[in-house]
Amino acid sequence: MVFLGYMVFSILLGLLADRYGRLKILLISFLWGAFFSLLTSFSPSYFWFVFLRCLVGCGVAGHSQGLIIKTEFLPKKIRGYMLPLSQIFWLAGSLLIIGMASEVNSTLGWRWLVRFASIPGIILIIVFRFIPESARFNVSVGKSQAATDTLQWIANMNRSKMPEGTLKEPMSENTGRILDLFDRKYLRTSLQLWVIWVGISFAYYGVILASSELLERNLLCGSGNLIPGTEDEMPEESRTPCFCHMLSPSDYRTMIISTTGEIALNPFNIIFINLLGRRWTLGITMTTTGIFFLLLNICMSNAGLIAVLFCLRALVSANFNTVYIYTAEVYPTVMRAIGMGTSGSICRIGAMAAPFIAQVLLDTSVIGALCLFAIICFICALSAFTLPIETKGRALQVSLGEPSCMVTFPLSGCGVGSDISTPSELQKPGRSSMVAKSDDLLSNYDAHWESPPVSNILCT
């Protein structure tokens, strides 16, 4: 039900973020998610629990706006390094909730676990006071003064001075339109991206769900029975009326190990993203993911199984990491949020389909389930290799018809930078520009420098 709420609201919040601002939607989604998450702990019945978790998913759908804000502030030279590092904080949160669950579930119960888990979301609302709205968004909707104020705030923080001049940009009348995703320029990209998103989500949650099945049952060698002795050793107090059993300390340790695997490939992923590009990196990791799914068909020891599952967890996480970065970079500012929102919504189809394969079909046919996961991964890899746009070193686009640009000023360091344009280009209609004294502007476009390197300041 969390996925259902996410799927419905992801598109809606993306549309609103392109029209009213990324920061507003991010703040609302945090408030919404924290409130209904806390309310879940007071559920009087199973129906209310499911309903409230669905509402939590509605709020979580807006959290991707945080990635968009980071993408729009980071210069293209370091986006490929900084954005993947966000995964470390995702890992920290995952490990925190697993550790908390191991202590709280067995003592205070799941209600207190949900309450404790809601606290960080409530505290983090204070941080929003220090997060500015995307200057790129403000410029795209005609709020040049707001964008200038943000840049001035950044310059003051870095003890730098703003260049002389004013920020000008013709206001985009059409923002956040779903039909723009089907524009001739982005139609093929959108369709192939959606295939990749569905496949990655399918594989990611498939690995998580299949791991517990494969570790708990002796399925790899074809018996399909519980590992000898586990059923008798299960304590009576761990059994529940629905024939489930409480997680043991060893189960939590296994989850910690597999979750840690999500960060294992991060350094290599960063190198490949910046060396090979987003498309080739995604294609290679998706192909490797499919191969590792096929390896699970081999009868192996428990240690070998854990090793393969560890690698699979690292690979599927790297896939998600790369596709998030690519999606945020490939669409222009006027449709970046709706592009991310639509992709996030469609990928929940794969997430909701994963349990039927990783748990239901896996009990019937291990080979059939694992081969299906592998085939989906290979299809996604082919789609990734043939994506029409590579975003490595590419300027963030402003609108459907024009590429983005950046003006570089001789500052001592503002801390934020983007893409480049020349004084002559700045006068073209529809292009973002910081109109300043000609001596302050460097004759520079498409990263071809004619002057010594200087610090950059965002202006598009």
Side-chain angles (χ1 to χ4, degrees):
M1 294 305 292
V2 174
F3 290 153
L4 178 62
Y6 192 111
M7 185 170 65
V8 173
F9 266 65
S10 186
I11 297 177
L12 175 62
L13 294 180
L15 187 150
L16 294 175
D18 273 334
R19 295 187 180 183
Y20 302 107
R22 287 83 160 95
L23 188 62
K24 294 185 182 70
I25 299 303
L26 183 61
L27 176 59
I28 292 173
S29 68
F30 257 85
L31 289 169
W32 181 293
F35 175 73
F36 285 106
S37 179
L38 185 61
L39 210 59
T40 301
S41 65
F42 299 97
S43 302
S45 65
Y46 180 72
F47 169 80
W48 276 104
F49 175 84
V50 171
F51 176 69
L52 290 172
R53 294 311 290 176
C54 181
L55 293 179
V56 170
C58 295
V60 174
H63 290 182
S64 61
Q65 300 309 314
L67 177 67
I68 292 178
I69 291 176
K70 286 186 293 184
T71 302
E72 293 181 338
F73 271 116
L74 290 171
K76 62 185 178 183
K77 290 184 178 180
I78 65 171
R79 277 201 304 267
Y81 297 96
M82 297 305 296
L83 292 178
L85 291 177
S86 303
Q87 189 181 15
I88 295 176
F89 298 95
W90 175 273
L91 172 67
S94 300
L95 294 177
L96 178 63
I97 194 63
I98 294 173
M100 189 183 300
S102 65
E103 297 297 328
V104 177
N105 257 347
S106 58
T107 54
L108 300 177
W110 69 269
R111 293 183 186 272
W112 278 103
L113 174 63
V114 174
R115 289 165 192 164
F116 288 143
S118 304
I119 294 176
I122 297 173
I123 296 176
L124 284 175
I125 294 173
I126 303 173
V127 179
F128 279 83
R129 183 173 178 269
F130 307 99
I131 303 176
E133 177 58 271
S134 168
R136 286 183 179 272
F137 167 77
N138 281 332
V139 168
S140 70
V141 295
K143 297 179 180 180
S144 298
Q145 186 56 48
T148 302
D149 292 342
T150 298
L151 298 178
Q152 182 64 63
W153 177 73
I154 294 173
N156 293 339
M157 183 182 296
N158 290 278
R159 299 179 181 179
S160 299
K161 293 182 179 180
M162 284 280 288
E164 298 180 12
T166 57
L167 185 64
K168 294 183 178 180
E169 162 70 14
M171 180 178 177
S172 300
E173 296 181 359
N174 300 318
T175 59
R177 298 191 312 172
I178 296 180
L179 290 178
D180 288 340
L181 298 173
F182 299 95
D183 182 85
R184 183 177 180 182
K185 184 177 181 181
Y186 290 102
L187 176 60
R188 180 181 163 190
T189 299
S190 295
L191 295 178
Q192 289 186 223
L193 259 183
W194 293 341
V195 170
I196 294 171
W197 273 93
V198 171
I200 289 178
S201 182
F202 181 68
Y204 180 85
Y205 291 102
V207 169
I208 294 175
L209 295 172
S211 295
S212 60
E213 292 291 313
L214 294 173
L215 288 170
E216 190 173 296
R217 295 171 175 272
N218 189 21
L219 293 177
L220 287 183
C221 299
S223 69
N225 299 317
L226 286 172
I227 296 175
T230 58
E231 192 169 30
D232 295 332
E233 293 172 3
M234 189 186 302
E236 187 67 29
E237 60 271 16
S238 295
R239 300 179 186 273
T240 65
C242 60
F243 301 101
C244 298
H245 66 278
M246 299 290 289
L247 294 174
S248 65
S250 62
D251 293 326
Y252 286 111
R253 286 194 295 270
T254 301
M255 283 193 289
I256 289 175
I257 294 173
S258 62
T259 301
T260 306
E262 293 198 11
I263 204 66
L265 281 181
N266 197 262
F268 300 100
N269 198 38
I270 293 175
I271 294 173
F272 292 148
I273 282 175
N274 291 279
L275 184 64
L276 303 178
R278 281 58 160 161
R279 293 184 303 176
W280 276 90
T281 299
L282 185 56
I284 291 172
T285 54
M286 285 302 303
T287 301
T288 310
T289 303
I291 292 174
F292 269 83
F293 267 117
L294 293 178
L295 288 178
L296 285 177
N297 286 297
I298 301 174
C299 184
M300 63 184 75
S301 65
N302 192 57
L305 172 61
I306 293 176
V308 173
L309 291 175
F310 182 90
C311 293
L312 264 176
R313 192 72 179 262
L315 285 165
V316 293
S317 181
N319 295 334
F320 249 134
N321 205 4
T322 307
V323 78
Y324 261 112
I325 295 172
Y326 182 87
T327 306
E329 291 178 333
V330 75
Y331 290 114
T333 303
V334 296
M335 55 184 286
R336 186 167 293 119
I338 188 62
M340 179 69 79
T342 305
S343 298
S345 175
I346 291 176
C347 89
R348 300 303 142 179
I349 298 174
M352 289 188 287
F356 296 98
I357 307 302
Q359 293 178 317
V360 180
L361 180 59
L362 196 68
D363 281 341
T364 305
S365 173
V366 176
I367 294 178
L370 296 177
C371 287
L372 180 58
F373 279 117
I375 291 172
I376 296 297
C377 289
F378 292 143
I379 292 174
C380 290
L382 179 62
S383 183
F385 282 127
T386 57
L387 281 168
I389 301 173
E390 173 57 69
T391 61
K392 173 193 171 187
R394 175 177 178 261
L396 290 182
Q397 306 293 288
V398 177
S399 61
L400 282 172
E402 289 287 335
S404 65
C405 63
M406 179 188 76
V407 185
T408 303
F409 299 96
L411 298 179
S412 59
C414 246
V416 175
S418 278
D419 313 309
I420 303 168
S421 185
T422 61
S424 60
E425 290 289 327
L426 295 177
Q427 307 307 318
K428 289 187 177 182
R431 187 176 292 277
S432 304
S433 61
M434 174 73 82
V435 181
K437 292 181 179 180
S438 58
D439 291 340
D440 290 335
L441 293 171
L442 300 179
S443 179
N444 214 323
Y445 189 58
D446 289 339
H448 295 294
W449 292 91
E450 296 180 1
S451 302
V454 294
S455 299
N456 297 340
I457 184 169
L458 175 70
C459 75
T460 64

